[in-house]
Amino acid sequence: MGCRLVNELTLLIPIAMKSVVTANLRQELTDEIQEGISQMDLEIQQIEFQGRRALSALEREDLKSAMAFRGRIEEEKKKRTDMKSELLAKIEEINALPEGTEIQRGTVQAQVVVAPGTDLAALSRSELLIKDGIILEIRSETK
């Protein structure tokens, strides 16, 4: 069984996705972060509620275990509170970004056809520039 040479091949490669900062983007990012903050608040309430129930039962049985459990509850609440603080700081960072600034928003998979001589490193540096959901530019160093 021999090998067959082909002239081209289709690959999936990650492409950087950047967005231009606009009022709409700021609002979108802030809304996403606000959802995360609400989730942290909900988790803190759940930890407190479930912790109180379990703690009252545990205090009747073993005070030492109850104290250790209380410490774990406080630790979990602190983790969520710290995450919430980080999210609030991100909102401040977003609001401080100058209008028109380009920010990294993640990656998308792109199908590309490659052939002998294709510069894969250049392909991997390709970018999509998006403004308010519309592709402004497709940047690539390839020829």
Side-chain angles (χ1 to χ4, degrees):
M1 184 178 256
C3 290
R4 190 180 77 133
L5 293 177
V6 293
N7 291 331
E8 61 183 37
L9 186 65
T10 302
L11 300 176
L12 280 178
I13 63 167
I15 301 292
M17 195 170 63
K18 291 185 171 184
S19 289
V20 175
V21 175
T22 63
N24 289 340
L25 179 64
R26 274 196 194 93
Q27 188 61 52
E28 179 186 325
L29 294 174
T30 300
D31 290 348
E32 288 174 11
I33 293 170
Q34 286 293 353
E35 285 180 30
I37 290 170
S38 295
Q39 181 64 37
M40 289 302 108
D41 286 337
L42 183 62
E43 288 180 19
I44 290 168
Q45 290 174 359
Q46 288 174 338
I47 290 168
E48 288 173 343
F49 177 73
Q50 292 171 350
R52 274 195 302 267
R53 281 189 18 207
L55 196 57
S56 65
L58 197 54
E59 283 174 339
R60 288 185 287 243
E61 296 172 18
D62 183 6
L63 194 56
K64 187 175 182 180
S65 294
M67 302 258 311
F69 184 69
R70 182 186 311 264
R72 286 195 300 273
I73 291 171
E74 291 305 316
E75 198 174 291
E76 287 301 315
K77 282 174 41 180
K78 183 173 179 353
K79 282 182 194 174
R80 300 319 189 278
T81 302
D82 290 347
M83 282 195 231
K84 183 178 170 181
S85 295
E86 288 175 24
L87 292 172
L88 288 167
K90 281 186 180 184
I91 289 175
E92 289 179 24
E93 288 174 22
I94 289 166
N95 289 329
L97 290 171
E99 196 86 5
T101 303
E102 294 179 12
I103 60 170
Q104 183 71 34
R105 288 291 309 267
T107 59
V108 293
Q109 294 292 316
Q111 257 187 355
V112 295
V113 177
V114 296
T118 301
D119 184 349
L120 284 177
L123 277 177
S124 69
R125 292 188 296 271
S126 298
E127 299 176 336
L128 285 178
L129 181 63
I130 300 168
K131 182 176 182 180
D132 293 334
I134 297 171
I135 296 173
L136 289 182
E137 294 177 10
I138 300 171
R139 298 172 177 165
S140 180
E141 296 177 13
T142 60
K143 296 167 180 77

